[in-house]
């Protein structure tokens, strides 16, 4: 009988991609997926350390498995990803029944490590070198990118794929754990990216989403030739079959004119830019060591608006960072109000041990204040998002249909023939409509009749008389 794998993923798109690759490598070994831990022979958590809450969630999920391990000692329980890299052996101490700890730079080893545990080899741990545990080259090598060419049959969504173009981060914003858990910034060779994208497209993939912590800092040097992000977009645009290219996340300082011009001129390139500002106050940005002032950010937004006027721009904000005063917070509100982002993700500052922020500044904004600022900014952004979506009412948009909507998942209708579907426009707007299962994966025109802050509601535009009938009738 096939072995069963349960995997839970938290964190960013990098983790979603990593989980896809781990699942594919285990399915090749004969595993099948299950959605409950009771049936599973192997239980994996792909973890995130960006905020305390993400870690707490995993430690409590692990806590719930204590009994399962006592009654089924052969179950393999593994912790993968950023928290595995950050906490390492501490995970064995907090949850002694964990068998496997694998950092994000070592995921290619998962199948062998599980086989080793099953063969009686005891608990296994593979992590990469820390940022001070070797030369730059040694550390880079220890964060190997795990990007095998993917087997189409193993892909969760054949028409859409994440493609990693960079790993790691060297920006070291003072609040952020990512550079220590994901290692040094390294761009993948363009030839590898193109081969991967060509293969995906030849297998029916219509949309690729390029991933990097600071994706627009992409730069690859070979001899005297440097490939920039804009060059990569031009090459990717030439791939037959690909309809859409998106990329996340952008770093404000690296939003160059050549990139914006490429976004404007390449029809396959989504006019959608996620460029987190984090704060509207210079003193906060300085303590965050973001490397730009709010004047620089505004100047960048002006360039975006003038080169790609129809771009949908989204942002991230952290409220309650160390020393953030009410005046600082008001400056963030002012920025949101004035820039009218399509959407913003707003987070309460969560101190991360091991970051420079934790060493340098006290986490001195009380939790209730963080909560209030979070709610206020969110309320303001929601109004802006709703206003931003209103002009779509009465218009027709092209939607790449992704699958059952959240409502059909909740109502248990996700498996029926007729169901509510969801997809996205080129500008990353979520569209929900009634449709048919066979439409999943197609790009269809949808007429929008309603909108709220986060969703456009529409109906499939049916052409009753197609071009063939026109010519027959004529
Ligand atoms: N590389 C990306 C995203 C990194 S993590 C970037 O630079 O934008 C995603 C978001 O989480 C960040 O944009 C930031 O808003 C938030 N974040 C990171 N560390 C955090 C922390 N310690 N507390 C709260 N939010 C944090
Ligand atoms: Fe973290 Fe800053 Fe790097 Fe983004 S750019 S991953 S926020 S250190
Ligand atoms: Fe979290 Fe790691 Fe991504 S810390 S946000 S899963 S890079």
């Amino acid at each position: 009988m096939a072995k069963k794998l349960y995997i839970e993923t938290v964190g960013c798109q990098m983790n979603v991609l990593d989980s896809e690759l781990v699942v594919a490598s285990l399915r090749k070994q004969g595993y099948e997926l299950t959605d409950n831990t009771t049936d599973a022979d192997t239980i994996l958590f792909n973890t995130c350390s960006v905020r305390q809450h993400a870690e707490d969630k995993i430690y409590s999920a692990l806590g719930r498995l204590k009994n399962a391990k006592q009654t089924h000692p052969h179950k393999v329980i593994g912790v993968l990803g950023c928290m595995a890299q950050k906490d390492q052996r501490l995970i064995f101490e907090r949850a002694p029944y964990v068998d496997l700890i694998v950092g994000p730079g070592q995921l290619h080893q998962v199948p062998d490590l599980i086989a080793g545990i099953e063969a009686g080899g005891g608990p296994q741990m593979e992590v990469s070198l820390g940022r001070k545990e070797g030369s730059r080259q040694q550390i880079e090598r220890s964060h190997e990118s795990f990007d095998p060419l993917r087997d189409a049959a193993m892909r969760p969504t054949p028409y859409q794929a994440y493609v990693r173009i960079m790993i790691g981060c060297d920006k070291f914003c003072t609040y952020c754990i990512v550079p220590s858990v994901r290692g040094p910034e390294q761009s993948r060779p363009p030839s590898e990216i193109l081969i991967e994208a060509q293969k995906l497209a030849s297998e029916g993939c219509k949309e690729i989403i390029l991933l990097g912590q600071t994706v627009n800092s992409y730069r690859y040097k070979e001899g005297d030739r440097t490939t920039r992000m804009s060059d990569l977009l031009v090459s990717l645009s030439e791939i037959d079959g690909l309809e859409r290219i998106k990329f996340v996340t952008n770093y404000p300082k690296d939003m160059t004119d050549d990139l914006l011009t490429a976004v404007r001129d390449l029809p396959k390139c989504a006019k959608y830019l996620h460029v987190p500002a984090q704060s509207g106050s210079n003193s906060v940005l300085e303590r965050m060591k973001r490397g730009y002032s709010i004047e620089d950010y505004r100047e960048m937004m002006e360039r975006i608006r003038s080169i790609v006027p129809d771009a949908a721009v989204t942002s991230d904000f952290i409220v309650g960072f160390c020393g953030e005063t009410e005046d600082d917070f008001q400056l963030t509100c002012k920025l949101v109000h004035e820039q009218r982002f399509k959407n913003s993700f707003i987070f309460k500052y969560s101190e991360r041990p091991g970051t420079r922020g934790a060493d340098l500044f006290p986490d001195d904004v009380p939790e209730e204040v963080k909560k209030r600022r979070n709610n206020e900014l969110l309320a303001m952004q929601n109004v802006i998002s709703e206003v931003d979506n209103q002009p779509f009412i009465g218009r027709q948009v092209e939607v790449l249909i992704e699958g059952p909507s959240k409502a059909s998942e909740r109502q248990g209708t996700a498996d029926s023939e007729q169901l509510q579907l969801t997809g996205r426009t080129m500008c990353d707007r979520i569209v929900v409509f009634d449709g048919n299962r066979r439409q999943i994966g197609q790009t269809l025109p949808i007429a929008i009749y309603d909108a709220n802050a986060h969703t456009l509601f529409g109906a499939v535009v049916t052409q009753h008389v197609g071009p063939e009938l026109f010519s027959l009738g004529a």
Side-chain angles (χ1 to χ4, degrees), residues 38 107 159 186 192 197 218 240 257 280 328 350 369 373 399-400 414 418 442:
T38 323
L107 295 174
Y159 43 86
Q186 302 179 67
E192 266 183 36
Y218 178 88
D240 284 340
D257 283 356
D328 291 322
S350 167
V369 177
R373 290 182 187 166
V399 175
L400 174 58
Q418 305 291 329
Q442 296 182 20

Side-chain angles (χ1 to χ4, degrees), residues 50-51 175-178 212-214 249-251 276 278 290 316-318 345 347-352:
V50 85
R51 283 168 289 276
Y175 52 80
C176 186
I177 196 72
V178 173
Q213 293 300 342
T214 56
T249 294
N250 292 287
Y251 184 62
Q278 310 297 1
R290 281 289 283 178
D316 290 349
F317 290 95
I318 297 177
F345 296 96
F347 307 103
K348 290 179 288 174
Y349 173 59
S350 167
E351 186 177 82
R352 309 287 54 223

Side-chain angles (χ1 to χ4, degrees), residues 244 397-401 423-425 431 433 442-446:
R244 295 177 172 192
V397 290
E398 288 288 312
V399 175
L400 174 58
I401 300 162
R424 280 169 203 260
T425 66
V431 182
F433 59 95
Q442 296 182 20
T443 314
L444 290 178
I446 306 284

Side-chain angles (χ1 to χ4, degrees), residues 14 17-18 21 146-147 163-167 188 211:
M14 284 283 175
L17 172 56
D18 284 339
L21 300 173
F146 177 41
D147 293 287
V163 174
R164 197 171 346 242
I165 68 165
M166 293 174 81
I167 59 171
R188 269 180 94 195
L211 297 185

Side-chain angles (χ1 to χ4, degrees), residues 8-10 45 52-62 64:
E8 203 171 307
T9 306
V10 292
F45 294 97
Q52 186 62 44
H53 176 71
E55 296 195 345
D56 293 346
K57 209 172 137 184
I58 298 299
Y59 277 115
S60 46
L62 285 173
R64 287 194 296 274

